[in-house]
Amino acid sequence: VATGANLQMASVLGYSPHTAARYEGFGNTAFAVLAACAVVFAAVHVAYAPRRREAIVTAGAVLAVVLLADVWPTLGADVGGVLTMVPVFGLLMVALSGRGISWRQVALFASVTVAVLAVVAAVDLVRPEASRGHLGRFVAGAVSGDGTFLTTIERKWSTNVRLFGRTVWTWMVPLTAAFMLYVLVIARGWQRLLPAGS
């Protein structure tokens, strides 16, 4: 990513040049694998480290580097990474420190997510227009009222609707979510599966 994500193009976790999905930064597959591995690494490191306090600091530093690599405009330029990693990594650090997660902390990290998104957008906006990523172009279009804002939202909506009917496997998402809701909430499976007080 630091060299322009040249190794990601047409790789197992990258996009193919014929789909024209993304030519810079992190795509969704690479982001998902990176974020999931970072979460697992942080949790395993803290769980097995001999000195817990130092392990929490190390885990936080690793998560910060992963976040920076994914969201910074000249690196991963991944808006979805901001919206996902900031709250998840923040709440993970709270959980790893041994404290319970409250609604107040959820609200705090939602606010931090908005603040980080604003910083990343501002950094992208100060770059030359030709060098801006999709977030910078999106915000500049929203401010100028040139139609980019609505066009982007319409394009993303139509793409998601089109892809939703493309494969039968897409229907596994709501079915799996409904099953998990039943097991964890309705059948109170969370009481058996999760540690007391978690």
Side-chain angles (χ1 to χ4, degrees), residues 42-63:
V44 169
H45 178 64
V46 171
Y48 290 101
R51 293 181 301 279
R52 184 175 178 84
R53 185 170 284 175
E54 290 175 16
I56 291 171
V57 171
T58 303
V62 168
L63 294 176

Side-chain angles (χ1 to χ4, degrees), residues 11-12 17-18 36 63 82 118 140 163 171 182:
S11 69
V12 174
H18 342 1
L63 294 176
V82 175
L163 292 175
W171 293 100
Y182 172 77

Side-chain angles (χ1 to χ4, degrees), residues 176-196:
T176 303
F179 178 72
M180 292 293 291
L181 181 68
Y182 172 77
V183 168
L184 294 175
V185 179
I186 298 168
R188 297 189 181 277
W190 61 271
Q191 291 176 336
R192 293 188 312 277
L193 298 172
L194 299 176

Side-chain angles (χ1 to χ4, degrees), residues 8-100:
Q8 184 178 236
M9 181 62 71
S11 69
V12 174
L13 299 178
Y15 288 121
S16 163
H18 342 1
T19 61
R22 186 167 183 149
Y23 294 116
E24 61 186 36
F26 275 116
N28 289 339
T29 309
F31 147 72
V33 171
L34 177 70
C37 288
V39 167
V40 170
F41 169 80
V44 169
H45 178 64
V46 171
Y48 290 101
R51 293 181 301 279
R52 184 175 178 84
R53 185 170 284 175
E54 290 175 16
I56 291 171
V57 171
T58 303
V62 168
L63 294 176
V65 169
V66 168
L67 177 67
L68 184 68
D70 185 66
V71 306
W72 200 250
T74 57
L75 296 174
D78 185 19
V79 177
V82 175
L83 301 176
T84 306
M85 287 184 182
V86 172
V88 169
F89 286 4
L91 293 171
L92 174 64
M93 289 306 297
V94 170
L96 291 177
S97 69
R99 298 187 311 246

